[in-house]
Amino acid sequence: MTAIHIQGLGTYVPAKRITNDDLASRVDTSDEWIVSRTGIKARHMLADDENGSDAGVKAALLALEDAGLEPGDITHVLTATCTPDYLCPSTACILSGKLGTHGAMAFDLNAACTGFVYGLDVARGLLAGNPDAKILLVGSEAFTRRMNWNDRTTCILFGDGAAAVVLTDGDAGTPRACLPSAARLRDVQCGADGRQYPLLTVGGGTARNYRPGDPVQDDFYLQMQGREVFKLAVRSLSSVCAQLLERNGLSLDDVDLFIPHQANLRIIEAVGDRLKLGADKVFVNLDEYGNTSAASIPLGIGDACRQGRIRAGSRVLISAFGGGFTWGAALLEF
Ligand code: ACO
């Protein structure tokens, strides 16, 4: 029986910090509007000479250090991203070249903001087939590269960041830097409804037939029907959490901390209300990072560990939703 564990975790957020007041000098918005509608106060932005793969490498090195492993020990590199460096090659290949995991299988996984949770499910399957595997799962996003900085309804919401975990079969002992203990992946559940794909798109793919010299159109950038996404997000997060707990014979009383995808504080509060979770059990760090998509949940796990809100023995529920429309939840036992 496979007992998948997160054996190490590392996070990276770029130094450049964009406040709401900075954005208010570019578009017609205000700190008061952004905080009251979203809870976001700041977001971080990659430097001009830094890519999503660079951010991923920085997080991955810290995750390997936490796990006590070297790049050469890794057998699989999965990058969860919907803002890859290129359409081809994968960010996972670029990242593995920079990191030195030569020979390890490497591929990207695009489930938008649910990418990290999807990655756990994929890693579970890979480890079931190969218990000796040592899997590096990296959530890395460069969303500020696909923001339309003239669109106040979207440019306020997203930020850049990366976080990585090392997954192994079995508990290899106490991690060295970030995690208080290895975390057993008790269960994970994912889903999607592709009929809803127009609600959130990020361009740059081949759907539009660009010819050399054509100017980019608005659909090159992130476009979103915010209100519809909001409603679907509350419904899907609440139901996937309830289903996952039920099939594990658990209730929310058995959960020590809930780390939801960090998109909007009002979505998080609405889900907390539906699940009847006290605010003290709900982790929030979007005030500082905004929505970092596939990096959001592992960034949250890292911050929760550093703040002492996750300890050895904690049971943590994570849950995400994203473009696609995708959703997922997982139970981690530290
Ligand atoms: N500053 C000031 N006013 C604004 C801003 C802004 N930044 N943005 C919108 N407004 C205005 C609108 O123009 C509108 O004005 P009007 O009434 O004169 O037309 C008014 O505020 C209300 O706009 P709404 O879009 O209805 O505002 P809402 O309360 O729905 O909040 C928001 C918008 C924050 C985008 C919200 O809908 C939301 O968070 N949705 C979910 C987004 C999300 O979670 N996305 C992540 C998806 S995950 C992934 O895969 C990437």
Side-chain angles (χ1 to χ4, degrees):
M1 176 80 178
T2 308
I4 300 166
H5 283 74
I6 298 180
Q7 196 60 54
L9 183 141
T11 62
Y12 171 75
V13 176
K16 188 171 179 184
R17 185 172 185 269
I18 313 287
T19 64
N20 292 344
D21 286 336
D22 293 331
L23 291 177
S25 67
R26 296 174 85 141
V27 288
D28 182 14
T29 190
S30 65
D31 178 57
E32 190 279 327
W33 194 96
I34 300 171
V35 172
S36 64
R37 297 293 179 114
T38 72
I40 299 167
K41 296 178 182 160
R43 69 287 294 144
H44 292 248
M45 186 188 252
L46 290 168
D48 287 345
D49 60 355
E50 193 179 32
N51 286 330
S53 61
D54 299 316
V57 167
K58 287 176 180 145
L61 284 169
L62 293 170
L64 287 167
E65 184 189 332
D66 200 23
L69 294 175
E70 299 294 328
D73 298 324
I74 293 297
T75 57
H76 301 72
V77 179
L78 277 67
T79 302
T81 184
C82 58
T83 51
D85 290 8
Y86 298 94
L87 283 181
C88 178
S90 68
T91 294
C93 278
I94 299 169
L95 187 151
S96 65
K98 292 174 179 172
L99 195 60
T101 58
H102 311 311
M105 177 177 175
F107 64 97
D108 284 1
L109 185 163
N110 180 348
C113 303
T114 320
F116 180 77
V117 183
Y118 266 58
L120 293 177
D121 209 347
V122 172
R124 175 167 70 169
L126 290 167
L127 278 159
N130 177 6
D132 293 330
K134 294 192 171 37
I135 299 176
L136 180 66
L137 169 62
V138 185
S140 180
E141 299 283 14
F143 254 103
T144 64
R145 299 269 163 89
R146 279 295 178 281
M147 285 297 106
N148 179 345
W149 295 108
N150 298 321
D151 177 6
R152 68 177 181 173
T153 67
T154 55
C155 75
I156 58 164
L157 298 171
F158 293 87
D160 302 331
V165 294
V166 176
L167 293 146
T168 57
D169 186 13
D171 181 345
T174 307
R176 299 177 180 198
C178 181
L179 300 178
S181 65
R184 176 178 164 243
L185 176 63
R186 175 164 173 159
D187 199 4
V188 52
Q189 180 174 335
C190 295
D193 181 355
R195 293 169 300 181
Q196 310 294 345
Y197 90 86
L199 293 181
L200 198 163
T201 55
V202 184
T206 58
R208 182 178 282 279
N209 189 10
Y210 278 110
R211 292 173 194 82
D214 282 355
V216 296
Q217 305 293 318
D218 282 354
D219 62 6
F220 183 72
Y221 303 102
L222 177 133
Q223 293 188 312
M224 180 172 65
Q225 295 173 40
R227 284 203 166 181
E228 293 311 311
V229 171
F230 193 109
K231 283 186 252 172
L232 269 177
V234 173
R235 278 206 296 273
S236 63
L237 281 180
S238 310
S239 73
V240 73
C241 288
Q243 287 166 25
L244 184 72
L245 288 168
E246 192 186 339
R247 82 180 189 188
N248 281 276
L250 297 172
S251 77
L252 282 156
D253 291 341
D254 302 311
V255 170
D256 298 301
L257 190 66
F258 175 47
I259 304 183
H261 171 47
Q262 306 285 309
N264 183 319
L265 185 59
R266 289 188 298 143
I267 293 175
I268 293 172
E269 287 173 348
V271 173
D273 285 350
R274 278 194 176 205
L275 296 175
K276 300 193 171 45
L277 260 176
D280 57 320
K281 279 195 176 183
V282 181
F283 187 80
V284 175
N285 65 358
L286 57 65
D287 48 322
E288 180 57 29
Y289 306 131
N291 182 347
T292 56
S293 189
S296 132
I297 285 186
L299 276 176
I301 297 172
D303 280 356
C305 290
R306 284 185 278 269
Q307 292 170 21
R309 295 187 67 185
I310 294 177
R311 302 187 195 90
S314 295
R315 183 180 287 129
V316 177
L317 174 65
I318 61 176
S319 186
F321 65 93
F325 199 83
T326 58
W327 58 84
L331 278 163
L332 302 174
E333 294 176 337
F334 287 81

